[in-house]
Amino acid sequence: GENVEQHPSTLSVQEGDSAVIKCTYSDSASNYFPWYKQELGKGPQLIIDIRSNVGEKKDQRIAVTLNKTAKHFSLHITETQPEDSAVYFCAARWLMEYGNKLVFGAGTILRVKS
Amino acid sequence: DTEVTQTPKHLVMGMTNKKSLKCEQHMGHRAMYWYKQKAKKPPELMFVYSYEKLSINESVPSRFSPECPNSSLLNLHLHALQPEDSALYLCASSQDRASNQPQHFGDGTRLSIL
C-alpha cells in the first residue's frame, strides 16, 4: 500500500525565516498531494494542494513542489509569522482497488519564534 | 471558519452509553468521510460515503455505526465504546470521490470514554 514519510517531525524557525517540510511517497500511481495545517483544537485546514501534472504551485507565502521521478514533494513557507505555528500534515491520494483514500504523513510541528 | 460543521464539540460518555456524532455540510459535496485522530497522530480514515451510500469501511468495529440520511448530513452512532476509542473524530467532505478532489474537514468532536 501507499506509505508517506514526513520530515522533520519538529521545526523551529525565527520569525521572517523560511520553513521547508519534505514528504516522500511510495506508490507511483498517486496523483494528488494536499497539505493541511492543524491548529490546537481545530480540524485540519487545507492550505495548498498539487496534482501530478504540475511541478510547482504557489499561493502567496506558501509553495509546494513535486518531483514525480523521485516521489517526493515539499512545502515551502516564506517570511514565517507566529500564526504559522501549527502541525502540518502532507498526504498522498492512494488509488486502491475499491476506491481511493488520503494517506497522511506523521506530521511536523512548526514553531515560529518571535 | 470551517464549512463542515460538527456537533457536539465535546462528548463524555460511559462505556454503556449510546450517543451520536453529527456532521453537516452545505457545499453540495457528494462524498463524506469519518476520520479518527489520536493525540499527536495523523487522521485515520474510518468510513467513506459517496452519494449517500457507504463505499469504504476501513475494518471499523461494529460499535461504530455510520449513517448518511441525506447528501448534507452524516452521523456516527456510538455504542458500547472502549476507553481506547477516546479521540478526536473528524468529518470531511469533498465534491465527489474523484482522486483529485480536495477534502475539507470540520473541527471535530473530542470524545472521552470513561
Side-chain angles (χ1 to χ4, degrees):
Chain A
E2 176 70 285
N3 182 50
V4 177
E5 293 191 3
Q6 183 172 346
H7 299 280
S9 56
T10 60
L11 179 59
S12 289
V13 299
Q14 203 65 34
E15 182 178 358
D17 287 351
S18 295
V20 180
I21 304 171
K22 299 183 179 183
C23 290
T24 60
Y25 60 99
S26 59
D27 190 345
S28 57
S30 293
N31 62 0
Y32 174 68
F33 308 92
W35 285 89
Y36 288 88
K37 173 185 181 184
Q38 188 171 22
E39 297 174 285
L40 204 59
K42 300 278 191 180
Q45 175 193 5
L46 180 70
I47 56 172
I48 196 166
D49 57 10
I50 191 166
R51 292 163 177 79
S52 57
N53 60 343
V54 177
E56 183 175 0
K57 184 175 177 181
K58 194 172 181 181
D59 183 3
Q60 299 183 341
R61 297 186 296 110
I62 295 174
V64 57
T65 58
L66 172 65
N67 183 327
K68 284 183 61 180
T69 304
K71 289 188 283 188
H72 68 69
F73 56 113
S74 301
L75 177 71
H76 305 254
I77 306 174
T78 59
E79 300 172 24
T80 53
Q81 301 165 5
E83 51 265 37
D84 294 329
S85 296
V87 181
Y88 290 80
F89 292 102
C90 65
R93 179 88 69 173
W94 179 38
L95 303 176
M96 307 178 294
E97 182 180 334
Y98 52 93
N100 63 80
K101 63 183 277 189
L102 286 182
V103 178
F104 288 85
T108 296
I109 300 172
L110 174 63
R111 296 190 185 94
V112 180
K113 296 174 285 188
S114 56
Chain B
D1 288 338
T2 180
E3 296 179 82
V4 176
T5 304
Q6 292 188 243
T7 56
K9 293 191 184 306
H10 303 275
L11 180 62
V12 180
M13 58 187 286
M15 289 189 283
T16 58
N17 292 156
K18 286 184 182 180
K19 295 285 186 184
S20 297
L21 309 185
K22 295 186 183 301
C23 174
E24 189 168 5
Q25 58 87 15
H26 293 289
M27 295 180 281
H29 289 175
R30 302 312 300 269
M32 296 185 76
Y33 311 78
W34 280 115
Y35 287 84
K36 174 183 179 179
Q37 187 178 27
K38 299 285 271 185
K40 301 186 189 299
K41 297 289 186 184
E44 296 176 27
L45 183 66
M46 300 174 71
F47 302 104
V48 180
Y49 272 83
S50 178
Y51 290 85
E52 294 101 71
K53 289 187 176 7
L54 183 65
S55 60
I56 294 179
N57 176 340
E58 289 284 274
S59 302
V60 179
S62 60
R63 58 186 184 267
F64 295 91
S65 176
E67 178 196 20
C68 190
N70 60 55
S71 60
S72 300
L73 293 174
L74 187 65
N75 298 322
L76 186 62
H77 302 298
L78 315 172
H79 174 54
L81 295 194
Q82 304 298 309
E84 60 265 28
D85 296 324
S86 297
L88 181 67
Y89 287 84
L90 294 161
C91 174
S93 70
S94 64
Q95 188 171 336
D96 55 41
R97 281 189 54 216
S99 61
N100 63 352
Q101 293 298 318
Q103 289 183 22
H104 300 275
F105 286 82
D107 283 336
T109 293
R110 188 159 299 281
L111 178 64
S112 298
I113 307 300
L114 300 179

